[in-house]
């Protein structure tokens, strides 16, 4: 037989061998699920960013209304030059980014001091009332960040933006200074109160896992308290502190709700509010440039975090032995400090809610008389002289639509995100020694780098029209569900991976030997054993979805109205009491779900903190 006749046979054998290798590789569930997961992550995370980046270098048809030099479809640096080096650059980019950076850095430092200090008191001292203090500390997390801003405005508002003055001015008849009512100070205060809970949760869990024998040994060697904190406690807590700092910084710099309520009235624009204004003004490409710059800043912060943590020495603080904990006695200060802590936590957690609740029963703001109390904003009909004839919330079909959409989005996205997080976490845990497991773990973290309002701007362009086999999703609740699931993946995948790693592989191996398929093993073994982790992930995503603003503010249409976007419409129209009614209902739903999940499902956001 000639060599030419052997070539097709050899080629056929090679193809057959390659096919067998590929199918054999895909028979491993880690590889098959990992491949599907990577395709999903690439489509929903990587490709949109690349597409937006490319779009910033191409003329659009709509650019012809901005400049006569526009040549649709051709390459250009115009949009980058317009944002970074034009006459409007100071107001469009540099001033907002300076405002945003100043707010983010200040909020991060204040939150660090408040959160770490409270975590230390709860976990490392004999402070009483720890469970109550811990619950009060978590309350701000259950609320949208701008609830505190709304309460601040209700209390400190002056006549600068018109309408009825705030409670302080109504009671004292003295005008509140502008710097206290609007701008940098109230934005920082509102965000710091809300975001300090992240430091409390992260650092509290880390402090709880640290063996106090390290501190006792140093104390017996003559080291003072300050030296022990500086040389032992701080180095061990540094990764948790830096994680909290990065999380707080990225959230603060991309925050939209608080700056929109407290900053916009006095032209204190941040990059997020400027991005939103650009999208509403149909300056889409300029908004994409702002999104990419916001993402770049977040990535630089993450990179600096890895560089700092990477240079730290590694310490083992959790071993197989029981962790010894000796609480620091506070002596005579024990009860006074507990009382002060409870009072302060009540002021920042409960009082803002009470202020907003009281306002819902006042027909006219600032009038504190018995005849001014009413249920109109809850149950009343249309009265032309009040809020342009807007009905009471519970009588308003728009509210009922927003309530239905919010519950549907939160419930569906929570279930999907929890299950997808567990599945991808399974790949990351079981395939941690393979390239595909590491890729899934790293790519699923990428949404953490993308500020919510930036991801929203990306998804508008991507899903405004059919894309590959995916239909146009803009204007449907499914787009909001998709972006919610994607944004929460960094947390759900990490939670799923950590949970799967605690389950021995021999359970699956035994089931596999008995002939059980991977789906059967997942359904009968992994799901039941990961029930608590799934419920915690569900709770985390549900709370986030119910209070989400930055992520969906640009995606919502009249058909997909949610409770958070409805409140913002009321804020813009000056319907303060209606705003507060919707907020009270939304907060009640979140707290009820949190209570049910912790009581009956044993899920708890504060797991690992000494007070629980």
């Amino acid at each position: 037989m000639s060599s030419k006749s052997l070539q097709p046979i050899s080629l056929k054998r090679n193809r057959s061998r390659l096919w067998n290798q590929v199918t054999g590789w895909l028979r491993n569930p880690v590889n098959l699920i990992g491949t599907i997961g990577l395709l999903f992550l690439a489509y929903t995370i990587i490709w949109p960013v690349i597409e937006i980046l490319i779009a910033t270098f191409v003329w659009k048809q709509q650019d012809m209304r901005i400049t006569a030099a526009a040549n649709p479809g051709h390459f250009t640096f115009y949009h980058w030059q317009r944002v970074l080096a034009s006459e409007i650059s100071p107001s469009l980019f540099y001033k907002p980014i300076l405002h945003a950076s100043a707010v983010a850095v200040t909020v991060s430092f204040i939150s660090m001091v408040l959160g770490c200090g409270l975590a230390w008191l709860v976990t490392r001292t004999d402070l009483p009332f720890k469970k109550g203090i811990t619950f009060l500390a978590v309350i701000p997390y259950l609320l949208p960040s701008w609830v505190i801003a709304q309460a601040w405005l209700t209390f400190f508002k002056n006549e600068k933006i018109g309408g009825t003055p705030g409670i302080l001015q109504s009671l004292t008849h003295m005008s509140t200074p502008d710097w206290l009512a609007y701008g940098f100070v109230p934005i920082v205060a509102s965000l710091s109160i809300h975001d300090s809970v992240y430091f409390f949760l992260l650092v509290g869990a880390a402090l709880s896992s640290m063996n106090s024998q390290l501190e006792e040994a140093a104390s017996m060697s003559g080291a003072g308290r300050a030296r022990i904190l500086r040389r032992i406690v701080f180095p061990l807590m540094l990764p948790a502190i830096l994680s909290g700092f990065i999380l707080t910084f990225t959230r603060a710099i991309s925050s939209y709700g608080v700056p929109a309520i407290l900053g916009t009235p006095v032209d204190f624009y941040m990059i997020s509010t400027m991005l939103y204004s650009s999208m509403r003004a149909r300056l889409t490409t300029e908004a994409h440039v702002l999104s990419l710059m916001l993402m770049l800043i977040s990535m630089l912060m993450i990179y600096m975090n890895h560089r700092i943590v990477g240079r730290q020495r590694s310490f083992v603080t959790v071993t197989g032995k029981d962790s010894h904990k000796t609480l620091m006695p506070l002596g005579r200060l024990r009860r006074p400090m507990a009382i002060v802590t409870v009072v302060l936590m009540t002021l920042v957690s409960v009082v803002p809610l009470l202020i907003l609740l009281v306002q819902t029963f006042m027909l006219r703001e600032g009038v504190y008389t018995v005849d001014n109390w009413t249920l109109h904003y809850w149950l009343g009909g249309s009265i032309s002289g009040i809020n342009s004839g807007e009905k009471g919330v519970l009588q308003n079909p728009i509210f009922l639509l927003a309530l239905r959409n919010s519950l549907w989005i939160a419930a569906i996205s929570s279930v999907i995100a929890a299950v997808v997080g567990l599945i991808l976490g399974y790949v990351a845990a079981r395939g941690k020694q393979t390239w595909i497991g590491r890729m899934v773990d790293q790519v699923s973290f990428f949404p953490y780098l993308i500020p919510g309002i930036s991801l929203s701007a990306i998804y508008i362009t991507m899903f405004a029209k059919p894309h590959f086999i995916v239909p146009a999703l803009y204007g449907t609740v499914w787009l909001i569900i998709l972006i919610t699931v994607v944004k929460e993946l960094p947390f759900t995948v990490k939670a799923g991976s950590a949970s799967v790693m605690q389950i021995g592989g021999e359970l699956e191996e035994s089931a596999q030997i008995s002939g059980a398929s991977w789906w059967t093993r997942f359904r009968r073994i992994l799901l039941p054993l990961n029930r608590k982790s799934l419920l915690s992930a569900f709770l985390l995503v549900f709370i986030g979805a119910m209070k989400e603003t930055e992520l969906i503010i640009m995606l919502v249409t009249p058909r997909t109205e949610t409770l958070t976007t409805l409140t913002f419409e009321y804020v813009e129209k000056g319907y303060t009491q209606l705003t507060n009614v919707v907020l009270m209902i939304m907060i009640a739903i979140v707290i009820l779900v949190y209570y049910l999940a912790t009581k009956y499902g044993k899920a708890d956001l504060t797991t690992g903190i000494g007070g629980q």
Side-chain angles (χ1 to χ4, degrees):
M1 187 176 293
S2 65
S3 60
K4 289 185 177 181
S5 62
L6 289 174
Q7 286 179 356
I9 298 175
S10 177
L11 182 60
K12 189 175 181 179
R13 287 177 178 173
N14 289 336
R15 288 177 177 174
S16 178
R17 187 182 299 112
L18 179 61
W19 173 255
N20 290 334
Q21 289 175 349
V22 172
T23 54
W25 186 78
L26 290 176
R27 286 194 187 99
N28 185 334
V30 170
N31 297 332
L32 178 60
I33 299 170
T35 301
I36 297 172
L38 282 178
L39 291 174
F40 171 76
L41 295 172
Y43 178 73
T44 57
I45 302 171
I46 305 299
W47 174 248
V49 176
I50 295 174
E51 196 174 55
I52 289 301
L53 177 62
I54 294 172
T56 60
F57 294 103
V58 179
W59 286 111
K60 303 292 189 304
Q61 190 70 35
Q62 64 195 40
D63 294 331
M64 297 182 69
R65 66 185 176 90
I66 301 176
T67 174
N71 189 4
H74 288 72
F75 181 84
T76 181
F77 281 110
Y78 173 80
H79 300 292
W80 286 90
Q81 183 269 336
R82 179 176 168 83
V83 172
L84 301 178
S86 70
E87 293 180 354
I88 66 170
S89 295
S91 59
L92 181 62
F93 177 70
Y94 291 108
K95 196 172 182 180
I97 201 65
L98 284 176
H99 286 166
S101 300
V103 167
V105 171
T106 308
V107 167
S108 299
F109 275 109
I110 294 176
S111 298
M112 179 176 66
V113 173
L114 295 177
C116 293
L118 185 60
W120 182 78
L121 279 175
V122 170
T123 59
R124 310 299 289 182
T125 72
D126 61 349
L127 188 76
F129 315 131
K130 289 185 178 182
K131 288 187 178 182
I133 292 171
T134 301
F135 177 72
L136 289 173
V138 173
I139 287 179
Y141 174 80
L142 305 179
L143 314 177
S145 59
W146 44 271
V147 166
I148 299 172
Q150 182 69 10
W152 186 286
L153 192 63
T154 301
F155 192 81
F156 290 106
K157 185 172 65 171
N158 60 25
E159 64 278 355
K160 185 177 183 65
I161 60 175
T164 305
I167 295 174
L168 182 63
Q169 184 168 332
S170 298
L171 295 177
T172 64
H173 304 291
M174 296 176 59
S175 180
T176 307
D178 287 348
W179 63 267
L180 184 60
Y182 317 101
F184 179 82
V185 170
I187 290 174
V188 167
S190 299
L191 289 175
S192 298
I193 291 171
H194 182 268
D195 292 348
S196 59
V197 69
Y198 297 111
F199 279 99
F200 174 70
L201 294 174
L202 289 169
V203 176
L207 282 169
S208 292
S209 67
M210 191 179 76
N211 195 320
S212 61
Q213 288 179 342
L214 299 171
E215 299 167 85
E216 294 171 6
S219 180
M220 292 176 62
S221 300
R225 174 57 57 181
R227 183 178 177 85
I228 292 173
L229 289 173
R230 188 178 71 253
R231 299 297 299 274
I232 296 177
V233 178
F234 182 75
L236 293 175
M237 295 301 105
L238 186 59
I241 292 173
L242 288 175
S243 295
F245 191 93
I246 297 301
L247 178 61
T248 304
F249 182 91
T250 54
R251 292 180 66 89
I253 201 171
S254 61
S255 174
Y256 172 77
V258 174
I261 292 174
L262 296 175
T264 304
V266 291
D267 295 329
F268 187 90
Y269 287 97
M270 289 172 52
I271 195 73
S272 56
T273 49
M274 187 56 66
L275 194 161
Y276 180 68
S277 299
S278 298
M279 290 295 294
R280 295 190 66 173
R282 297 178 59 198
L283 299 174
T284 307
T285 311
E286 282 74 9
H288 291 331
V289 173
L290 293 175
S291 297
L292 292 170
M293 295 303 297
L294 201 54
M295 289 169 54
L296 180 61
I297 293 171
S298 298
M299 291 179 184
L300 287 174
M301 290 298 296
I302 297 290
Y303 173 75
M304 291 172 59
N305 174 55
H306 285 307
R307 292 282 295 179
I308 294 173
V309 173
R311 286 199 296 264
Q312 300 300 313
R313 290 172 292 176
S314 176
F315 301 92
V316 175
T317 62
V318 181
T319 67
K321 300 179 180 179
D322 183 29
S323 180
H324 175 71
K325 294 181 179 66
T326 301
L327 299 179
M328 176 183 173
L330 296 176
R332 295 179 181 178
L333 296 177
R334 185 170 178 265
R335 287 199 173 275
M337 190 169 289
I339 293 172
V340 170
T341 304
V342 170
V343 170
L344 291 177
M345 295 306 302
T346 301
L347 287 175
V348 301
S349 300
V350 179
V351 171
L353 299 184
L354 293 178
I355 290 175
L356 298 183
L357 180 62
V358 168
Q359 291 290 309
T360 66
F361 299 110
M362 297 176 63
L363 187 62
R364 290 171 293 167
E365 288 184 83
V367 180
Y368 301 96
T369 58
V370 175
D371 60 350
N372 193 46
W373 296 107
T374 180
L375 289 174
H376 170 76
Y377 298 106
W378 290 84
L379 301 167
S382 177
I383 301 177
S384 59
I386 301 177
N387 291 341
S388 304
E390 195 84 11
K391 292 182 179 180
V393 166
L394 298 179
Q395 298 289 333
N396 194 331
I398 298 176
F399 164 76
L400 299 177
L401 172 66
L403 176 63
R404 184 168 62 250
N405 285 338
S406 291
L407 292 174
W408 175 255
I409 290 168
I412 297 300
S413 59
S414 300
V415 172
I416 295 175
V419 175
V420 171
L422 179 60
I423 293 174
L424 295 182
Y426 173 86
V427 175
R430 294 289 188 254
K432 60 182 178 180
Q433 302 299 330
T434 65
W435 68 269
I436 197 164
R438 292 192 294 269
M439 281 290 292
V440 167
D441 188 41
Q442 292 170 9
V443 177
S444 64
F445 181 76
F446 197 68
Y448 181 83
L449 306 178
I450 308 177
I453 200 164
S454 299
L455 189 63
S456 178
I458 292 171
Y459 270 41
I460 287 178
T461 301
M462 181 174 177
F463 293 103
K465 56 185 184 296
H467 209 268
F468 296 129
I469 62 173
V470 180
L473 295 178
Y474 182 72
T476 69
V477 295
W478 294 108
L479 179 57
I480 301 175
I481 290 172
L482 175 63
I483 197 172
T484 302
V485 171
V486 170
K487 187 61 178 176
E488 297 292 343
L489 279 179
F491 307 103
T492 58
V493 172
K494 290 294 183 185
S497 176
S499 182
V500 170
M501 288 180 68
Q502 297 177 20
I503 301 174
E506 61 273 7
L507 296 174
E508 288 185 82
E509 293 171 2
S510 299
Q512 187 175 11
I513 292 173
S514 301
S517 65
W518 181 85
W519 171 245
T520 301
R521 302 197 303 270
F522 181 79
R523 181 169 51 89
R524 301 293 295 274
I525 298 176
L526 292 177
L527 280 180
L529 292 177
N530 286 282
R531 181 185 60 84
K532 189 173 181 179
S533 174
L534 277 171
L535 191 57
S536 296
F538 173 89
L539 179 61
L540 184 73
V541 179
F542 186 93
I543 292 172
M546 281 296 296
K547 66 179 186 175
E548 187 57 67
T549 304
E550 288 83 2
L551 191 63
I552 66 172
I553 187 70
M554 293 192 293
L555 300 178
V556 168
T557 63
R559 288 194 308 161
T560 58
E561 190 83 74
T562 67
L563 293 178
T564 53
T565 55
L566 178 61
T567 54
F568 256 91
E569 289 181 17
Y570 284 158
V571 168
E572 291 177 348
K573 295 176 181 178
Y575 300 165
T576 303
Q577 288 95 330
L578 292 176
T579 300
N580 296 340
V581 172
V582 178
L583 286 175
M584 290 300 102
I585 294 172
M586 182 171 59
I587 292 166
I589 293 171
V590 171
I591 292 178
L592 176 62
V593 171
Y594 178 76
Y595 170 78
L596 293 175
T598 53
K599 182 174 180 60
Y600 298 105
K602 306 303 179 184
D604 197 349
L605 298 175
T606 61
T607 299
I609 297 180
Q612 296 296 317

